[in-house]
Amino acid sequence: MNSSSNPSLQGGAFTYVITARFSCQGRLYAEETYRLTACDEPEAKRIGHHRAIESDFCDPRIRDFSLALSVTLEMDPDDDPPSAPSGASAPRQPDSASFE
């Protein structure tokens, strides 16, 4: 795959879509989506988590507040998935983490 033909892979960086779900007592009350560029999935999660905790919807004072993130690698449908370095697995999608 040629990275110059895929804007998601420019400069060795990937485009990720992060969905932040804000809940109270297990009930979803808000959802935000962030589209960002990162070198790998862990960096995308860190950036997405930082954006989510800076959101007006994030308020840990809320009883039983929870924040869940899902991370999806955005790909051009005409391109093959990026190959993983030897010994590593390809980026997973979707993935979620819960922060309370």
Side-chain angles (χ1 to χ4, degrees):
M1 166 173 46
N2 181 352
S3 65
S4 64
S5 68
N6 185 346
S8 322
L9 302 177
Q10 294 291 329
F14 301 94
T15 301
Y16 291 89
V17 176
I18 312 296
T19 303
R21 293 177 183 89
F22 304 89
S23 299
C24 174
Q25 297 180 343
R27 295 188 59 167
L28 180 70
Y29 66 86
E31 184 175 280
E32 291 184 331
T33 302
Y34 317 117
R35 187 172 182 267
L36 54 91
T37 302
C39 66
D40 57 19
E41 185 176 328
E43 181 184 33
K45 282 183 184 180
R46 282 190 300 275
I47 295 168
H49 182 252
H50 179 73
R51 288 188 184 178
I53 62 172
E54 294 295 320
S55 168
D56 289 339
F57 295 115
C58 184
D59 189 350
R61 296 173 298 175
I62 296 172
R63 185 176 181 171
D64 296 325
F65 170 81
S66 66
L67 167 63
L69 297 178
S70 64
V71 180
T72 305
L73 177 63
E74 183 177 89
M75 296 185 59
D76 184 332
D78 296 330
D79 288 329
D80 294 327
S83 59
S86 62
S89 60
R92 296 172 291 140
Q93 52 175 323
D95 189 17
S96 64
S98 182
F99 301 92
E100 295 185 32

